[in-house]
Amino acid sequence: KPRLLIVNSGAAHSTRSIVEQVRAAKDSLGRVFSRIGEIVEGGERCLGEGRDLGDLITENNNLLNKLPGVNNPHTDRIVQICSDYGVAAKITGAGGGGLITGD
């Protein structure tokens, strides 16, 4: 049964700044971006087959944490609390604050 959790972290952030930081580092992060693309494709298959996305969500969040400016202690804590309750969660959007989604 599909479920969706959305948490507003309340953390202020600048999407423009985060995007600029990631853009500046993109050449050194090719493998990270490739794997994120594979996860997206795997997620599409899981949704189409009605399978759980939890492991892919967790792996995606771990990869996003390798991108500059995307995570912070506040969003990391929210993701950890979700995990403690058995909910896979990840940063959404540009990161840095804003929303965390979970399944």
Side-chain angles (χ1 to χ4, degrees):
K1 193 177 204 182
R3 62 184 182 172
L4 177 65
L5 172 70
I6 301 173
V7 178
N8 185 343
S9 71
H13 65 288
S14 166
T15 297
R16 169 180 264 165
S17 173
I18 294 166
V19 169
E20 288 172 356
Q21 289 177 64
V22 172
R23 185 178 291 132
K26 74 177 182 179
D27 291 337
S28 65
L29 297 166
R31 290 176 19 154
V32 171
F33 284 113
S34 292
R35 182 60 189 141
I36 288 172
E38 293 169 358
I39 289 170
V40 169
E41 292 172 4
E44 290 172 343
R45 284 191 300 277
C46 285
L47 287 172
E49 298 168 3
R51 292 187 293 136
D52 183 62
L53 296 171
D55 291 341
L56 293 175
I57 290 171
T58 298
E59 183 180 359
N60 184 262
N61 190 70
N62 291 339
L63 290 167
L64 292 173
N65 286 339
K66 295 180 179 189
L67 304 179
V70 172
N71 67 322
N72 64 51
H74 187 67
T75 56
D76 288 347
R77 181 71 181 126
I78 292 169
V79 169
Q80 183 59 55
I81 290 169
C82 290
S83 178
D84 292 347
Y85 284 91
V87 176
K90 66 177 280 308
I91 303 161
T92 191
L99 301 178
I100 310 296
T101 58
D103 173 49

